[in-house]
Amino acid sequence: MRILICDDEQEYLDMLQSHVKEYMKNRSIVCQIIATANPVSAAACREPFDLAFLDIQMEGMDGIALARKLREKNPKLALFFITNYEEYQDEAMDLQAFRFFSKPFNADRLYSGLDKAMEYIDQSCVELYLLSDYTVQRVLTDDILYITIEGRKTKVQTLEKSYFVRDNFTELCQKLPARFFYQIHKSFYVNLHHIQTYSYAELYLVNGEHIPIAPRRQAAFHKYWFEYLRRF
């Protein structure tokens, strides 16, 4: 896990880094923490971050602008903002920040926020055990179009490519968020975010594929689809 802490006040930069290190150590989470007072250099980092703590008022680039740059590299970035100025909170809320912190930090509130962020990060990615070379591939759950069984193998189709994995189909489906995945067939588990068109008996996905809905699942899926549309 890569974590960015960006604050142009060294005292608070060091304090926050110390708290985050302690939290990660206590929970045995392996991470790399990049702490910097320079938002421009942080924006130039090539590798994406999983978690970021950003001061909103900084010279060279404010925290809101930096957050937008970081989200271009990782749309699922978990964000925390540090601000004592309420006028920035509307913009920050648009970026779906987890929490706002005032200076000095409250450690209990910080750890509580980190608990929520870790839960979010765990749910946003899934690890796939590849058949080809027995390595592990980490993918964003929202990049998955569907999971299916093909020739007795479990296939994961993402927006970019397909993977044949060692994972059991049923067990892998259980790792994905049921809020926006649905089993439309005994061997198809589909991400509803990527449905382009829906007819009662068939789905058309954004990549041009169309998948039939099992007849005995059509009524239940029809109801679930409209519930999904109301939520999203």
Side-chain angles (χ1 to χ4, degrees):
M1 178 185 296
R2 280 171 51 83
I3 301 171
L4 172 66
I5 303 172
C6 191
D7 192 320
D8 59 3
E9 293 185 73
Q10 193 66 44
E11 175 188 357
Y12 293 111
L13 183 68
D14 294 341
M15 188 184 305
L16 185 52
Q17 184 176 12
S18 176
H19 281 309
V20 173
K21 277 184 178 179
E22 181 181 359
Y23 175 93
M24 296 298 169
K25 180 181 178 182
N26 290 342
R27 287 155 180 79
S28 302
I29 299 173
V30 178
C31 66
Q32 177 187 12
I33 300 176
I34 290 83
T36 179
N38 187 337
V40 177
S41 68
C45 287
R46 292 185 178 182
E47 291 292 318
F49 293 97
D50 300 293
L51 175 64
F53 293 86
L54 309 178
D55 188 10
I56 285 190
Q57 282 202 318
M58 295 184 287
E59 291 191 16
M61 178 182 293
D62 64 56
I64 300 292
L66 175 56
R68 295 189 196 282
K69 290 283 187 185
L70 298 176
R71 276 275 171 84
E72 289 175 4
K73 297 170 188 174
N74 178 12
K76 299 296 183 180
L77 173 71
L79 275 173
F80 290 91
F81 284 109
I82 305 159
T83 180
N84 290 323
Y85 299 92
E86 292 185 2
E87 64 265 28
Y88 292 102
Q89 292 197 12
D90 285 344
E91 284 186 273
M93 287 298 290
D94 288 342
L95 289 162
Q96 298 178 325
F98 271 87
R99 189 158 289 183
F100 301 93
F101 293 105
S102 300
K103 299 174 181 178
F105 307 113
N106 178 297
D108 290 338
R109 191 165 182 268
L110 173 62
Y111 292 169
S112 173
L114 277 167
D115 284 341
K116 294 182 184 300
M118 292 304 104
E119 183 179 334
Y120 166 79
I121 290 169
D122 286 345
Q123 291 177 346
S124 68
C125 291
V126 64
E127 291 183 341
L128 306 175
Y129 296 88
L130 305 185
L131 270 176
S132 57
D133 55 9
Y134 292 88
T135 58
V136 176
Q137 177 71 41
R138 188 173 169 87
V139 302
L140 290 170
T141 55
D142 202 32
D143 283 350
I144 296 173
L145 291 172
Y146 58 80
I147 297 174
T148 188
I149 298 173
E150 190 173 294
R152 296 187 179 180
K153 299 176 182 178
T154 303
K155 174 185 173 183
V156 178
Q157 180 65 50
T158 71
L159 290 166
E160 299 295 329
K161 61 188 298 185
S162 57
Y163 302 94
F164 285 97
V165 301
R166 298 171 61 195
D167 308 73
N168 173 274
F169 173 80
T170 301
E171 291 174 355
L172 183 54
C173 291
Q174 289 172 351
K175 294 179 182 179
L176 300 176
R179 289 191 322 120
F180 58 89
F181 277 85
Y182 195 93
Q183 190 165 359
I184 61 167
H185 187 280
K186 67 179 181 180
S187 60
F188 265 102
Y189 199 52
V190 176
N191 186 342
L192 305 188
H193 289 173
H194 298 303
I195 295 175
Q196 185 75 46
T197 309
Y198 160 62
S199 67
Y200 196 78
E202 200 167 35
L203 300 178
Y204 291 82
L205 302 180
V206 292
N207 67 342
E209 290 189 70
H210 55 95
I211 303 170
I213 304 169
R216 64 187 182 88
R217 298 177 187 262
Q218 289 173 1
F221 177 74
H222 186 75
K223 179 181 178 181
Y224 192 86
W225 173 249
F226 286 99
E227 290 174 354
Y228 162 82
L229 291 179
R230 283 197 292 269
R231 292 200 312 270
F232 294 93

